[in-house]
Amino acid sequence: MRIRSAVSIVVMLGLTTAACGKKTPPLARPAPPPPPTTAATAPARPPAPPEPVAEPTVVPPEPVPSDSISSASLDDLNRNSPLKAAFFAYDSAELAAPAQAALTENAAVLKRYPSWTVTIEGHCDERGTAEYNLALGERRAVAARTYLVSLGIPADRLRTVSYGKEFPFDSGHDDPAYAKNRRAHFVITAK
């Protein structure tokens, strides 16, 4: 038992000496990088606002020289309109040569008076249902508008509306009256 106690004492002394010995300071290790943030842990940042769009400078149209047309009221202009109607064949919205010629003349007038705004009314003869004639009148008005735009008239100056067979130009019930009613009619709405 004495040997055991002597061994115990020696072990105790060894541990105490080792514990009391000069310790070396711990080495400083760099801090680990922060964990990557995920959409769930980080608050969502709103997207950056879009770049502002530069507004174009609006240049007013050149003043039109004084003449009887530019000094007339809208009522007088529409009563004695310088714009011609474009006429269509039965059950058609295609522009025949005479209709294209009338629209070409109208484009020249509209270019001369660039401040005018025009409504193009699509009309039909009395044959056919009201619904069909409203759709056909719309196609006629749009065809006239598309042709004028192709000639250089800005689309924002042209409006379309269809009246179908509701407002005939000629109230007769024969082919000559029907031919006058199948038209795209032009109304000056602003100057």
Side-chain angles (χ1 to χ4, degrees), residues 7-69:
V7 174
S8 299
I9 292 176
V10 172
V11 171
M12 283 289 243
L13 282 174
L15 286 177
T16 305
T17 306
C20 291
K22 191 167 188 177
K23 293 184 179 177
T24 58
L27 294 175
R29 292 186 183 153
T37 58
T38 61
T41 60
R45 182 174 282 204
E51 293 294 320
V53 176
E55 293 293 325
T57 304
V58 177
V59 178
E62 288 186 33
V64 176
S66 288
D67 60 12
S68 62
I69 291 178

Side-chain angles (χ1 to χ4, degrees), residues 62-79:
E62 288 186 33
V64 176
S66 288
D67 60 12
S68 62
I69 291 178
S70 62
S71 61
S73 69
L74 283 177
D75 288 337
D76 290 338
L77 279 175
N78 287 316
R79 197 172 302 115

Side-chain angles (χ1 to χ4, degrees), residues 42-175:
R45 182 174 282 204
E51 293 294 320
V53 176
E55 293 293 325
T57 304
V58 177
V59 178
E62 288 186 33
V64 176
S66 288
D67 60 12
S68 62
I69 291 178
S70 62
S71 61
S73 69
L74 283 177
D75 288 337
D76 290 338
L77 279 175
N78 287 316
R79 197 172 302 115
N80 303 311
S81 182
L83 301 175
K84 298 179 178 179
F87 294 96
F88 293 86
Y90 174 69
D91 197 27
S92 174
E94 291 187 27
L95 294 168
Q100 290 178 0
L103 292 173
T104 302
E105 289 180 34
N106 290 351
V109 172
L110 291 171
K111 287 178 182 177
R112 180 168 175 180
Y113 299 97
S115 62
W116 287 5
T117 302
V118 175
T119 298
I120 305 169
E121 301 175 344
H123 294 273
C124 300
D125 60 36
E126 65 185 23
R127 298 174 286 185
T129 65
E131 294 82 11
Y132 180 81
N133 283 335
L134 281 172
L136 179 58
E138 180 68 19
R139 289 194 308 273
R140 289 175 174 169
V142 168
R145 180 179 189 260
T146 302
Y147 191 78
L148 288 172
V149 169
S150 76
L151 295 176
I153 304 302
D156 61 348
R157 293 178 54 202
L158 306 170
R159 309 277 186 261
T160 60
V161 67
S162 175
Y163 289 118
K165 61 183 179 179
E166 300 307 313
F167 297 104
F169 183 73
D170 187 331
S171 59
H173 304 290
D174 55 7
D175 285 336

